[in-house]
Amino acid sequence: MRIHVVGIGAVGNFVAFHLRRSLAPRHSVFALHRSETFNLVKERPDGAHLSVERDGSVLQQDGVVHLPYGEPRTRSRKSDFAPAALSAQDDPDVRGGIGPIDSLIVTTKAYAVPPLLFRLRQNLSRDSTIVLLHNGMGVYEKVIADVFPEPHNRPNFVFCTNTHGLYSSAFLHTVHTGIGQIRLGIVPDPFGHKYEASYHAAADPLAAQLSLDDIVNKSDETNISPRYLNLRNTIAALVNAPGLRASWEPFHDVQIAMRSKLVVNAFVNPVTALLQCKNGEVLKTKYGRNVADRVCREAERIFRTHWDREIKEQLQAYTQNPSVETPPPPFPRALEAPVMMKEIERVVEQTKNNYSSMYMDVKLRRPTEIAFLNGYLVKMADKAKFRPFMNVSLLYHIKMREMIPLAAQP
């Protein structure tokens, strides 16, 4: 099996480290770099090993193959003022050297995913599996519209949520500040393959379990499709890497978790970026709590508006007998405003000494992921003919902040 990880920051380095640590040597793990960061790999005097630090103890892992993919990038210098362009010329020959991709784990910024997959599309096929491990929502919809518009030529996609606390202290060095988990949900198959057949067929819902054999039964060697074999192997590799603490769960459950996390980020990220403060500062006043409460109440209204249609589509994708009317489940408690507010409080307390990713993006004059956080909520609300004023305000203020340099420190 050939697993490629792209976006070798804190999360990508962490994932590649644990995959290489747990997989048998016959399986290859590749780290894909932009050309300028690949040059840093070649220049390292201590080799290209990956490092993960936890509680002051550092573990190193060799055996990951580093490759360039020729992606140009324009980024800011570490300055509050006008950015200097750093770009690498796109080279199709370099990307061609990557070869066919069985499994691609994408841990880049949300806005970078569509152009990245467009550049790598010649290395991907309908038999590939793409794991989307990024912040925000709305990326998949953009990818299938712009990169893979034909359902029958589309790779398998896996959605994820990640609650591990991670940051990069140096190149290829991740500090693991908080143990979390990675939850995986497989997007329904356009060919009608029932990945969750055993789960939905269980007589006792409390005992229902997903089965890798529903993806493909490896004991049936005469009928193994590479499309489903690559998907099964990807899920198995991630779930069987102990350090990742990954679990495969029903797609419906993962979507709920993604939306809950989206709302947390839709409050914490823009507020910390605008105020240039640590996460722990945002709920210390009644004004911050009022903003958080308004974000949650608007999000619940948006989610409720779309709930019936979305759950109907999911039931149609997974039902064993389409002619039988299945009653929809109730609206999930995790997406009710008071529960999401409690989750914001929990995350803020857990990460009170941390700086959010959007804080750093604004400070370093980088693009933010606001379009895939509050921007996503605003788009959903627009479809429902509803104006979520707090989310619109945060969206517009971050857009303004991206265009106005922070004042120089005296």
Side-chain angles (χ1 to χ4, degrees):
M1 185 182 183
R2 294 162 52 87
I3 300 181
H4 294 70
V5 182
V6 61
I8 310 300
V11 177
N13 185 74
F14 178 75
V15 171
F17 174 96
H18 284 292
L19 285 173
R20 182 65 285 166
R21 201 168 187 81
S22 62
L23 286 171
R26 69 178 182 276
H27 300 296
S28 300
V29 178
F30 300 89
L32 299 183
H33 299 266
R34 299 183 312 276
S35 296
E36 66 267 25
T37 55
F38 181 67
N39 290 333
L40 296 178
V41 174
K42 294 189 295 184
E43 293 169 1
R44 283 169 63 97
D46 56 348
H49 60 255
L50 309 183
S51 300
V52 171
E53 179 179 345
R54 173 73 182 160
D55 295 330
S57 177
V58 179
L59 298 176
Q60 296 182 339
Q61 182 64 48
D62 294 316
V64 173
V65 180
H66 297 267
L67 294 172
Y69 65 91
E71 168 86 358
R73 179 183 182 186
T74 300
R75 62 172 291 181
S76 313
R77 299 284 192 179
K78 292 187 176 182
S79 166
D80 289 338
F81 300 100
L86 295 175
S87 62
Q89 185 176 358
D90 184 37
D91 188 346
D93 293 333
V94 171
R95 293 199 316 276
I98 295 170
I101 295 176
D102 297 335
S103 175
L104 180 67
I105 301 174
V106 184
T107 63
T108 63
K109 293 285 190 179
Y111 56 77
V113 177
L116 167 70
L117 294 182
F118 184 81
R119 291 178 181 278
L120 291 177
R121 69 194 185 282
Q122 66 189 41
N123 303 96
L124 297 160
S125 71
R126 63 189 293 277
D127 295 334
S128 304
T129 293
I130 299 175
V131 180
L132 298 177
L133 186 51
H134 57 74
N135 280 331
M137 296 183 69
V139 172
Y140 171 75
E141 292 83 351
K142 187 166 181 57
V143 165
I144 62 172
D146 297 346
V147 186
F148 301 109
E150 295 293 332
H152 289 78
N153 290 323
R154 189 178 297 160
N156 273 305
F157 281 87
V158 178
F159 287 179
C160 303
T161 63
N162 169 42
T163 58
H164 288 285
L166 306 165
Y167 73 89
S168 293
S169 64
F171 183 53
L172 302 183
H173 186 113
T174 296
V175 180
H176 192 188
T177 59
I179 296 176
Q181 63 176 332
I182 296 174
R183 302 172 67 179
L184 313 169
I186 304 174
V187 176
D189 184 35
F191 297 95
H193 197 94
K194 305 294 185 184
Y195 301 133
E196 301 178 3
S198 295
Y199 180 88
H200 292 282
D204 181 2
L206 296 178
Q209 291 186 333
L210 297 168
S211 172
L212 288 173
D213 286 341
D214 287 334
I215 300 176
V216 67
N217 191 335
K218 295 179 75 171
S219 64
D220 184 7
E221 297 183 358
T222 62
N223 191 33
I224 294 182
S225 162
R227 173 179 175 83
Y228 303 118
L229 182 61
N230 286 337
L231 176 60
R232 176 186 170 125
N233 288 343
T234 301
I235 297 294
L238 291 166
V239 169
N240 292 328
L244 295 180
R245 300 187 75 242
S247 59
W248 173 32
E249 301 182 16
F251 182 64
H252 166 77
D253 293 354
V254 172
Q255 279 195 308
I256 293 173
M258 290 174 66
R259 289 186 171 178
S260 176
K261 183 179 179 181
L262 172 76
V263 174
V264 173
N265 287 337
F267 168 69
V268 174
N269 280 23
V271 172
T272 55
L274 290 169
L275 301 182
Q276 285 291 286
C277 66
K278 290 184 177 180
N279 293 356
E281 301 295 318
V282 295
L283 292 178
K284 286 188 173 180
T285 68
K286 65 178 182 180
Y287 308 107
R289 299 190 68 84
N290 286 342
V291 171
D293 176 69
R294 186 69 175 268
V295 168
C296 291
R297 286 190 287 114
E298 289 179 354
E300 179 184 348
R301 180 175 174 183
I302 293 165
F303 296 151
R304 282 188 181 277
T305 302
H306 290 266
W307 175 254
D308 290 341
R309 175 184 58 79
E310 292 174 353
I311 202 64
K312 182 178 180 180
E313 291 175 355
Q314 290 179 26
L315 288 172
Q316 289 175 342
Y318 285 117
T319 185
Q320 301 299 302
N321 187 353
S323 63
V324 177
E325 187 73 20
T326 305
F331 184 78
R333 185 171 179 273
L335 299 183
E336 294 176 355
V339 178
M340 290 190 289
M341 184 67 185
K342 289 290 185 185
E343 181 64 8
I344 288 176
E345 292 171 348
R346 185 191 70 80
V347 171
V348 166
E349 175 61 27
Q350 187 181 57
T351 64
K352 61 185 177 183
N353 295 319
N354 295 1
Y355 293 104
S356 75
S357 59
M358 195 173 292
Y359 165 97
M360 296 304 300
D361 290 337
V362 166
K363 186 176 181 64
L364 302 180
R365 297 290 316 279
R366 298 186 302 221
T368 73
E369 296 177 296
I370 194 69
F372 300 94
L373 298 175
N374 307 79
Y376 177 78
L377 289 170
V378 171
K379 283 185 177 180
M380 287 185 71
D382 286 345
K383 294 177 182 178
K385 305 292 190 291
F386 158 55
R387 197 68 170 162
F389 291 104
M390 184 57 70
N391 281 283
V392 170
S393 177
L394 291 171
L395 171 65
Y396 286 1
H397 277 84
I398 288 294
K399 287 295 186 183
M400 291 171 62
R401 180 76 279 171
E402 288 179 332
M403 297 177 184
I404 303 172
L406 293 173
Q409 296 297 315

